[in-house]
Amino acid sequence: MKWEPSRWSRVFRQIDLISVVVLSRKVPQKPESVSSSLENMGQKRCLFLLAIFACLLSFSCGSRVLKLKSDDGRPVYNHTLAITLVEYTSAVYMSDLSELFTWTCERCNGLTKGFEVIEIIVDVEHCLQAYVGVAKDLNAIIIAFRGTQEHSIQNWVSDLFWKQLDLNYPDMPDAMVHHGFYSAYHNTTVRPAVLGAVKRAKKSYGASLNIMVTGHSMGAAMASFCALDLVVNEGEENVQVMTFGQPRVGNAAFASYYSLLVPNTFRIIHDHDIVPHLPPYYHLFPQKTYHHFPTEVWVTNLSILNIVLFGVEKVCDNTGEDPTCSRSVMGTSISDHLTYFGVELMGETWRQCNIVMGREMESYSRKDSKGNIFLSRTVPSMEVIETKIPSKARISSL
């Protein structure tokens, strides 16, 4: 529904008149209670108007997206895809590799049902986890990266305040990035395992598959470097990125290159999530400071009396640092960082790298010399692997 100021102003005037009639029917009986009664009536009237406005907004917004189509040819944000990918992102936090590999975990339902895992990578040395698989309903390869566990998020956030641009991105003049985020993807076991799994998936399911890369928190930063790697070094064309609670990863020059090479990118930010505000953006030095790449989707909660009615998604401009979106508020909330669209993005235990795997996974698993774990499927499975085996071995607990 298109917003027409003159039309809606008439509607609100009519609602205002109705509210006066409805809320003023109860006349105070005692003169001394007139002022308090008027005050109560004013409060009730205000709540009544807010409730009506919320109802109208919910009907007018439809999918609760304020701006659905871009005016400059940019990719269009898809709300349904966002709530699908947040479920894939939540699943990567599962520590039971047997249930994750067979896609039978408690988070492996809903919009992700029927997903086929090709590879699970657990870099024990650096406490990283990711998986690659095929979503047939999306005709796409899904790559998901795990973020920082919730029990260590405070220390990680504190460290981000002091992180500096400290690495020149290869073959991109003036582009600088965060060395830690870059290294987590490029200088660990994650990159070769992910690229190998993508090639196997295309060989088994078809070369025409799209690629969707997602992640949360630090996993979101890794997802952006993975997508850029797939485009620049692997020659992939149909790569889409959707991340949740992503920190800044590079400077304005890097953001410019990235937006040209991976234009189909959306960074979802939940309300006052603290992490997307880090490392800090210094507006007085726009070329020397960290800078987000587009496109941000800012999800704010509409609530009355502390009851959340629904989230409103605003698709921001193409600068990456839209001052009317998340930068218009203070990023102070860790709880907003750990929940997106009502889905928890955190591990189920307080141990950071607590990995459990059943013995039935031995034929699919291997370890390298450093103890990193890989569960691999080379061809599409013809049947569901039985996972109801009581014996499960704890592989790593760091």
Side-chain angles (χ1 to χ4, degrees), residues 165 173-176 250-256 281-291:
L165 293 159
D174 301 321
M176 296 192 70
N251 63 358
F254 175 78
S256 179
Y281 173 85
Y282 300 107
H283 63 90
L284 295 177
F285 309 99
Q287 299 303 317
K288 301 296 183 181
T289 189
Y290 282 93
H291 193 291

Short mmCIF file of all heavy atoms in Angstrom, two decimals, residues 165 173-176 250-256 281-291:
data_model
loop_
_atom_site.label_atom_id
_atom_site.label_comp_id
_atom_site.label_asym_id
_atom_site.label_seq_id
_atom_site.Cartn_x
_atom_site.Cartn_y
_atom_site.Cartn_z
N LEU A 165 42.55 -0.83 11.19
CA LEU A 165 42.74 -1.36 9.84
C LEU A 165 44.21 -1.74 9.71
O LEU A 165 45.09 -0.90 9.85
CB LEU A 165 42.36 -0.30 8.80
CG LEU A 165 40.88 0.08 8.75
CD1 LEU A 165 40.69 1.43 8.11
CD2 LEU A 165 40.09 -0.98 8.00
N PRO A 173 43.61 -1.43 -4.66
CA PRO A 173 44.34 -0.25 -4.19
C PRO A 173 43.58 0.52 -3.12
O PRO A 173 42.38 0.76 -3.26
CB PRO A 173 44.50 0.59 -5.47
CG PRO A 173 44.43 -0.40 -6.58
CD PRO A 173 43.46 -1.45 -6.13
N ASP A 174 44.28 0.86 -2.04
CA ASP A 174 43.75 1.65 -0.93
C ASP A 174 42.75 0.90 -0.05
O ASP A 174 42.29 1.44 0.96
CB ASP A 174 43.09 2.94 -1.42
CG ASP A 174 44.05 3.82 -2.20
OD1 ASP A 174 45.23 3.90 -1.79
OD2 ASP A 174 43.64 4.40 -3.23
N ALA A 175 42.42 -0.33 -0.41
CA ALA A 175 41.46 -1.09 0.39
C ALA A 175 42.17 -1.75 1.56
O ALA A 175 43.16 -2.46 1.39
CB ALA A 175 40.77 -2.15 -0.46
N MET A 176 41.68 -1.48 2.76
CA MET A 176 42.25 -2.08 3.96
C MET A 176 41.15 -2.77 4.76
O MET A 176 39.99 -2.34 4.76
CB MET A 176 42.93 -1.02 4.83
CG MET A 176 44.12 -0.35 4.18
SD MET A 176 45.08 0.63 5.37
CE MET A 176 45.80 -0.67 6.38
N GLY A 250 36.14 -3.44 6.87
CA GLY A 250 37.15 -2.75 6.09
C GLY A 250 36.86 -1.26 5.99
O GLY A 250 35.91 -0.76 6.61
N ASN A 251 37.67 -0.57 5.18
CA ASN A 251 37.48 0.88 5.04
C ASN A 251 36.55 1.20 3.87
O ASN A 251 35.99 0.30 3.24
CB ASN A 251 38.83 1.59 4.90
CG ASN A 251 39.58 1.17 3.63
OD1 ASN A 251 39.12 0.31 2.87
ND2 ASN A 251 40.73 1.77 3.39
N ALA A 252 36.41 2.49 3.57
CA ALA A 252 35.48 2.91 2.51
C ALA A 252 35.91 2.38 1.15
O ALA A 252 35.06 2.02 0.32
CB ALA A 252 35.40 4.44 2.48
N ALA A 253 37.22 2.33 0.88
CA ALA A 253 37.69 1.81 -0.40
C ALA A 253 37.31 0.34 -0.55
O ALA A 253 36.85 -0.10 -1.62
CB ALA A 253 39.20 1.99 -0.52
N PHE A 254 37.49 -0.43 0.52
CA PHE A 254 37.10 -1.85 0.48
C PHE A 254 35.60 -1.98 0.28
O PHE A 254 35.14 -2.80 -0.51
CB PHE A 254 37.52 -2.55 1.76
CG PHE A 254 37.05 -3.98 1.84
CD1 PHE A 254 37.71 -4.98 1.14
CD2 PHE A 254 35.93 -4.32 2.60
CE1 PHE A 254 37.27 -6.30 1.20
CE2 PHE A 254 35.49 -5.63 2.66
CZ PHE A 254 36.15 -6.62 1.96
N ALA A 255 34.82 -1.16 0.99
CA ALA A 255 33.36 -1.22 0.86
C ALA A 255 32.93 -0.91 -0.57
O ALA A 255 31.98 -1.51 -1.09
CB ALA A 255 32.72 -0.23 1.83
N SER A 256 33.62 0.01 -1.22
CA SER A 256 33.29 0.36 -2.60
C SER A 256 33.56 -0.79 -3.55
O SER A 256 32.72 -1.12 -4.40
CB SER A 256 34.10 1.60 -3.02
OG SER A 256 33.81 1.94 -4.36
N TYR A 281 33.09 3.86 13.73
CA TYR A 281 33.16 4.68 12.53
C TYR A 281 33.41 6.12 12.95
O TYR A 281 32.62 6.71 13.71
CB TYR A 281 31.84 4.59 11.75
CG TYR A 281 31.73 5.52 10.57
CD1 TYR A 281 32.25 5.16 9.33
CD2 TYR A 281 31.11 6.77 10.68
CE1 TYR A 281 32.15 6.00 8.23
CE2 TYR A 281 31.00 7.62 9.59
CZ TYR A 281 31.53 7.23 8.38
OH TYR A 281 31.43 8.07 7.30
N TYR A 282 34.53 6.69 12.48
CA TYR A 282 34.86 8.08 12.81
C TYR A 282 34.53 8.96 11.61
O TYR A 282 35.25 8.97 10.61
CB TYR A 282 36.34 8.20 13.19
CG TYR A 282 36.70 7.35 14.39
CD1 TYR A 282 37.46 6.19 14.24
CD2 TYR A 282 36.28 7.72 15.66
CE1 TYR A 282 37.78 5.41 15.35
CE2 TYR A 282 36.61 6.95 16.77
CZ TYR A 282 37.36 5.80 16.61
OH TYR A 282 37.68 5.03 17.70
N HIS A 283 33.41 9.70 11.72
CA HIS A 283 32.90 10.43 10.56
C HIS A 283 33.82 11.55 10.11
O HIS A 283 33.74 12.02 8.97
CB HIS A 283 31.51 10.98 10.88
CG HIS A 283 31.49 11.99 11.98
ND1 HIS A 283 31.64 13.33 11.76
CD2 HIS A 283 31.34 11.83 13.33
CE1 HIS A 283 31.59 13.97 12.92
NE2 HIS A 283 31.41 13.09 13.89
N LEU A 284 34.74 11.99 10.97
CA LEU A 284 35.67 13.05 10.58
C LEU A 284 36.78 12.53 9.67
O LEU A 284 37.47 13.30 9.00
CB LEU A 284 36.30 13.69 11.83
CG LEU A 284 35.34 14.44 12.74
CD1 LEU A 284 36.08 14.96 13.97
CD2 LEU A 284 34.67 15.60 12.00
N PHE A 285 36.96 11.19 9.63
CA PHE A 285 38.01 10.59 8.80
C PHE A 285 37.40 9.45 7.97
O PHE A 285 37.75 8.28 8.15
CB PHE A 285 39.14 10.05 9.67
CG PHE A 285 39.66 11.05 10.66
CD1 PHE A 285 39.23 11.02 11.98
CD2 PHE A 285 40.56 12.03 10.27
CE1 PHE A 285 39.70 11.95 12.89
CE2 PHE A 285 41.04 12.96 11.18
CZ PHE A 285 40.60 12.93 12.50
N PRO A 286 36.47 9.77 7.06
CA PRO A 286 35.71 8.74 6.35
C PRO A 286 36.57 7.79 5.52
O PRO A 286 36.18 6.64 5.31
CB PRO A 286 34.74 9.54 5.48
CG PRO A 286 35.38 10.89 5.33
CD PRO A 286 36.10 11.13 6.62
N GLN A 287 37.71 8.24 5.01
CA GLN A 287 38.54 7.37 4.18
C GLN A 287 39.50 6.52 4.99
O GLN A 287 40.07 5.55 4.47
CB GLN A 287 39.32 8.22 3.17
CG GLN A 287 38.45 9.01 2.21
CD GLN A 287 37.49 8.14 1.42
OE1 GLN A 287 37.87 7.08 0.94
NE2 GLN A 287 36.25 8.58 1.30
N LYS A 288 39.71 6.88 6.24
CA LYS A 288 40.70 6.17 7.06
C LYS A 288 40.08 5.27 8.11
O LYS A 288 40.78 4.53 8.78
CB LYS A 288 41.62 7.19 7.76
CG LYS A 288 42.38 8.10 6.81
CD LYS A 288 43.35 7.32 5.93
CE LYS A 288 44.16 8.26 5.04
NZ LYS A 288 45.10 7.51 4.17
N THR A 289 38.77 5.36 8.25
CA THR A 289 38.11 4.60 9.29
C THR A 289 37.39 3.38 8.71
O THR A 289 37.27 3.23 7.50
CB THR A 289 37.09 5.49 10.03
OG1 THR A 289 36.60 4.79 11.17
CG2 THR A 289 35.92 5.86 9.12
N TYR A 290 36.92 2.50 9.59
CA TYR A 290 36.08 1.38 9.14
C TYR A 290 34.78 1.91 8.55
O TYR A 290 34.25 2.93 9.00
CB TYR A 290 35.76 0.46 10.32
CG TYR A 290 36.90 -0.46 10.70
CD1 TYR A 290 37.80 -0.11 11.70
CD2 TYR A 290 37.06 -1.68 10.07
CE1 TYR A 290 38.83 -0.95 12.07
CE2 TYR A 290 38.09 -2.55 10.43
CZ TYR A 290 38.97 -2.17 11.43
OH TYR A 290 39.99 -3.02 11.78
N HIS A 291 34.27 1.19 7.55
CA HIS A 291 33.09 1.65 6.83
C HIS A 291 32.30 0.43 6.37
O HIS A 291 32.84 -0.47 5.73
CB HIS A 291 33.53 2.48 5.61
CG HIS A 291 32.44 3.27 4.97
ND1 HIS A 291 31.40 2.69 4.26
CD2 HIS A 291 32.22 4.61 4.89
CE1 HIS A 291 30.60 3.62 3.79
NE2 HIS A 291 31.07 4.80 4.16
#
